[in-house]
Amino acid sequence: MIVGTAGHIDHGKTTLTRALTGVDTDRLKEEKARGISIELGYAYAPLEGGDILGVIDVPGHEKFIRTMAAGVTGIDAALLVIAADDGIMPQTLEHLAILRLLGVQRGAVALTKIDRADSSRLEQLEGEINALLSSTDFAGAQIFRTNATIEGDIGVKALLRHLAQIAATLPANDERRLFRLGVDRVFTLSGQGTIVTGTALAGSVRVGDILQMAPGGQEARVRSIHAQNRSADVGRAGQRLALNLGGVSKDEIARGTWVVAPALSACSERVDVQLTLTPDCGLTLKPWSPVHVHLGAAHHTANVVMLDDEVLTPGRTGRVQLVLDAPVHAVPGDRFVIRNAQATATIGGGVVLDPFGPARKRRSAVRVAWLDALADYIGSGDIGALLARGPLGLRVSTLVRLSQLPAEQIAAPPGTVEVGLQGGDQLLIAAAEVEALQARILAALEAFHARAPDDAGPELWRLKRIVSPEMEDRLWSRLIDTLLASGAIKQRGRSLHLPAHSVELSAAEQAQVAPLLASLLAGAFDPPWVRELAREHGMQETEVRRLLLKLSKTGELSQVVKDLFYHPQRLDELARLVATLPEVQAASFRDATGLGRKRAIQVLEFFDRVGYTRRIGNIHLIRPNAAWAYSGA
């Protein structure tokens, strides 16, 4: 069990820790000289029943609230320390507020320095403490009168027995989840290398495991483990761990870095959260209000973007996006604390909903539904609740980051559709969402036909841009294949259309276009322009243009640029040629086709436009799962 102390400066937290564990946690020369804690201190002691008590001794001075918040993240219980002579003081209240905001619900109160107060003062103070805690999760917490300067103090012994009782009632940690540890201290030891310490919040770690820094992404191998101050082969959630890491230097890690399983290493600068302001904070948050954020052991500045109302007033709860000064690691359900812009007062805190908030459409209906689903998931752990509100499905890698479960332990509800993706990832989507997407495709085609009745229909990737540009390409291909197989939609050339829709040429027009098609086919990769076709076949330019445009609308030709049409067989050959090139640039495509540079660029831009390729810099990449459909019939 991990216990964190809390309380005002000079109320005896370090002395009490030494009395409980026998360890002096003030290790810095400055701490010894000034008689106050500046850094986190750690101490351990065996408990009845075989458990190991870990105590994190936090500074009480207001200047070190950042350090205090880092220390109490992930603790099992709090030990609120109040001196009998001073009583309840400002940092008593602020530390208590931080404990509540971080979701700490178990604890006890140590009344220290009882030799400096008479019995009536002690009774009065106990009444004040009970009143203070009455509206919190610590209501009814036992109060222990202690004099930690006396060896064998009966109050200290009673407190230690009580902590052992709390340890015996703690629920078992879920070790199925992937490993996470927030670093609160990093140092080097001669002959051993880099050491990080922190409380393991999830999962387990073994000697030899490969972990990653988040943020940063550096990989490190676990050389050795100390768990609860004892050498161990395995470290588990809920324990204080010291990890000896190979492959990463001390300078690459700071307090607030997370050491995590590689699947959890993704970070973001935008985090969507549910935030509660304390009733007495005296501050109304407005769009882009600056705040200080304490998340895990990390400290960042951030600006607030409202997701519900336009402002958030004292005592109220609302959803906001924290736009941070640097990427952070978080998972749904993580607790955090915020302080004002001057970092002089704790003003609120809350829970992370989505650790990967979007930069756009933050308040859309789809986004609100997704945040609702995440809030439900935090309470229930039901993956199905997330899939039910994921209209475009969810990658398994995303579900791993949200749930902290290994991919093989993510159980999708019955009826979930699975789509394999490049790189070995997989997309999961609820059957109801598949039906909804298919209905959207049919509706989009119906609207397209109403808007352009003389057009055979959009090409495959143009239709995707109309329906859902952000959809995974392989999901899109699967939906279209299913609709084609069922006959719900039809394909003519490269055009998709509803079965009832057709654009036909008359018999006379068919006779006119036959020689034009033959000339375009014979023109290979450099077909004749409209004016050249008109001259060759003794026709008016306007008539040739009308016929070829009509033919392009049926999907039997493609217009690359104005007045330049390609036969589908030749475009198919060019598309296949693109797929053979190691790097598709205008120069390499020009050389492979024998075309001039200008024409090569025109064709490549056409492939970009219809969704076969996409341009990144000067390179044209074939889109994942994109295929050039041409039957030759």
Side-chain angles (χ1 to χ4, degrees):
M1 181 176 77
I2 308 297
V3 172
T5 65
H8 199 77
I9 184 173
D10 199 31
H11 274 207
K13 296 184 293 299
T14 301
T15 302
L16 179 61
T17 299
R18 184 169 57 246
L20 289 169
T21 65
V23 176
D24 184 357
T25 57
D26 277 352
R27 53 188 171 79
L28 302 179
K29 290 182 179 179
E30 188 178 359
E31 290 176 318
K32 299 289 188 184
R34 295 171 61 184
I36 64 170
S37 295
I38 296 172
E39 267 295 345
L40 297 172
Y42 310 101
Y44 303 89
L47 290 173
E48 297 175 4
D51 288 321
I52 299 294
L53 171 67
V55 179
I56 303 177
D57 180 25
V58 308
H61 197 287
E62 64 177 343
K63 289 183 178 179
F64 305 121
I65 287 293
R66 168 185 176 180
T67 306
M68 181 270 173
V72 298
T73 296
I75 65 173
D76 298 304
L79 182 55
L80 184 62
V81 178
I82 301 174
D85 52 351
D86 282 344
I88 298 168
M89 296 288 283
Q91 255 49 68
T92 310
L93 300 175
E94 186 165 19
H95 284 200
L96 178 61
I98 290 172
L99 292 171
R100 297 178 64 188
L101 292 166
L102 291 177
V104 181
Q105 298 178 331
R106 303 178 188 87
V109 180
L111 202 54
T112 59
K113 305 181 182 182
I114 59 171
D115 56 319
R116 301 186 184 184
D118 56 26
S119 58
S120 62
R121 166 61 179 163
L122 294 177
E123 290 177 6
Q124 175 194 356
L125 186 52
E126 288 176 348
E128 293 173 359
I129 294 170
N130 285 324
L132 173 65
L133 302 181
S134 62
S135 61
T136 75
D137 290 324
F138 300 109
Q142 291 195 40
I143 302 173
F144 295 86
R145 299 181 180 184
T146 67
N147 186 354
T149 59
I150 298 177
E151 187 172 351
D153 178 64
I154 58 173
V156 171
K157 289 183 177 180
L159 173 58
L160 195 57
R161 287 194 299 270
H162 181 68
L163 294 177
Q165 292 170 1
I166 294 178
T169 63
L170 289 177
N173 287 292
D174 186 355
E175 293 185 17
R176 297 177 305 148
R177 301 190 185 279
L178 295 170
F179 181 72
R180 300 173 70 216
L181 177 142
V183 176
D184 52 36
R185 188 180 172 209
V186 56
F187 55 95
T188 57
L189 286 179
S190 178
Q192 296 190 46
T194 303
I195 310 292
V196 299
T197 69
T199 302
L201 295 190
S204 61
V205 62
R206 297 178 179 274
V207 173
D209 282 356
I210 300 297
L211 302 174
Q212 272 189 264
M213 306 302 111
Q218 303 93 335
E219 286 193 347
R221 187 178 69 84
V222 180
R223 290 173 169 169
S224 63
I225 301 171
H226 268 66
Q228 299 292 84
N229 209 35
R230 294 181 178 180
S231 181
D233 294 325
V234 182
R236 307 182 188 281
Q239 293 181 325
R240 284 287 307 173
L241 301 181
L243 305 180
N244 181 354
L245 300 179
V248 63
S249 70
K250 173 180 178 291
D251 294 337
E252 295 177 285
I253 308 173
R255 172 179 289 164
T257 300
W258 291 82
V259 181
V260 299
L264 299 180
S265 62
C267 295
S268 170
E269 294 178 2
R270 294 180 298 275
V271 180
D272 289 355
V273 304
Q274 181 167 292
L275 171 65
T276 300
L277 292 184
T278 58
D280 58 351
C281 70
L283 180 67
T284 294
L285 290 182
K286 302 174 182 178
W288 217 245
S289 291
V291 294
H292 287 255
V293 180
H294 298 272
L295 175 61
H299 168 227
H300 291 277
T301 58
N303 294 96
V304 176
V305 176
M306 300 298 165
L307 301 181
D308 292 337
D309 298 324
E310 295 305 316
V311 298
L312 188 63
T313 55
R316 301 296 298 273
T317 297
R319 290 174 179 170
V320 306
Q321 182 175 102
L322 298 175
V323 182
L324 296 127
D325 59 358
V328 298
H329 164 83
V331 300
D334 276 354
R335 294 275 183 163
F336 66 93
V337 169
I338 66 169
R339 306 193 86 211
N340 61 12
Q342 298 76 31
T344 56
T346 299
I347 60 172
V351 61
V352 171
L353 297 176
D354 190 346
F356 303 97
R360 298 171 55 251
K361 299 181 180 179
R362 298 178 175 104
R363 302 176 70 160
S364 67
V366 170
R367 190 66 196 161
V368 170
W370 175 242
L371 293 179
D372 288 342
L374 284 167
D376 293 343
Y377 170 74
I378 290 169
S380 68
D382 181 12
I383 293 290
L386 297 179
L387 289 174
R389 301 191 208 180
L392 298 178
L394 295 172
R395 286 178 174 245
V396 169
S397 58
T398 299
L399 289 170
V400 168
R401 293 199 301 268
L402 294 175
S403 68
Q404 306 169 68
L405 291 173
E408 61 272 15
Q409 292 191 28
I410 292 178
T416 301
V417 175
E418 301 178 2
V419 181
L421 302 175
Q422 282 193 326
D425 207 346
Q426 198 170 37
L427 186 76
L428 304 182
I429 181 168
E433 298 297 342
V434 170
E435 295 176 4
L437 287 173
Q438 290 175 333
R440 282 175 61 184
I441 293 171
L442 298 177
L445 279 175
E446 185 176 2
F448 186 93
H449 295 329
R451 189 169 60 251
D454 293 332
D455 197 314
E459 295 165 322
L460 178 68
W461 301 102
R462 181 183 177 190
L463 180 59
K464 179 178 183 291
R465 290 197 298 273
I466 294 171
V467 175
S468 177
E470 64 273 20
M471 186 189 302
E472 294 278 2
D473 286 348
R474 292 198 174 183
L475 172 60
W476 174 252
S477 296
R478 176 166 178 159
L479 293 172
I480 294 297
D481 289 346
T482 301
L483 291 172
L484 285 170
S486 69
I489 63 174
K490 300 289 185 181
Q491 184 169 5
R492 181 173 181 176
R494 291 181 46 75
S495 296
L496 298 169
H497 62 91
L498 295 176
H501 181 78
S502 64
V503 179
E504 302 291 344
L505 275 68
S506 67
E509 289 173 327
Q510 289 282 6
Q512 285 180 295
V513 301
L516 300 177
L517 285 172
S519 294
L520 291 174
L521 182 61
F525 295 164
D526 188 16
W529 293 80
V530 164
R531 64 179 178 276
E532 294 168 338
L533 288 168
R535 195 163 48 242
E536 177 185 351
H537 296 284
M539 298 173 63
Q540 293 291 323
E541 268 190 49
T542 54
E543 182 63 7
V544 172
R545 186 178 295 112
R546 183 189 71 82
L547 289 169
L548 295 186
L549 282 171
K550 188 169 184 179
L551 208 58
S552 71
K553 291 178 179 178
T554 69
E556 297 174 68
L557 280 181
S558 293
Q559 183 176 214
V560 171
V561 293
K562 179 176 170 53
D563 281 357
L564 180 64
F565 295 82
Y566 270 72
H567 192 283
Q569 180 179 323
R570 299 310 185 198
L571 277 178
D572 180 67
E573 294 167 0
L574 288 168
R576 293 177 187 276
L577 181 60
V578 164
T580 66
L581 296 177
E583 186 173 271
V584 184
Q585 297 191 51
S588 61
F589 187 65
R590 175 201 63 198
D591 294 343
T593 60
L595 295 171
R597 177 177 174 81
K598 182 176 180 180
R599 179 65 60 84
I601 291 173
Q602 289 171 338
V603 174
L604 289 176
E605 289 178 344
F606 169 78
F607 284 142
D608 291 340
R609 192 163 63 248
V610 298
Y612 179 60
T613 58
R614 62 174 178 171
R615 180 176 174 178
I616 300 179
N618 292 322
I619 299 174
H620 300 262
L621 302 175
I622 296 178
R623 289 181 177 273
N625 207 42
W628 195 266
Y630 172 68
S631 65

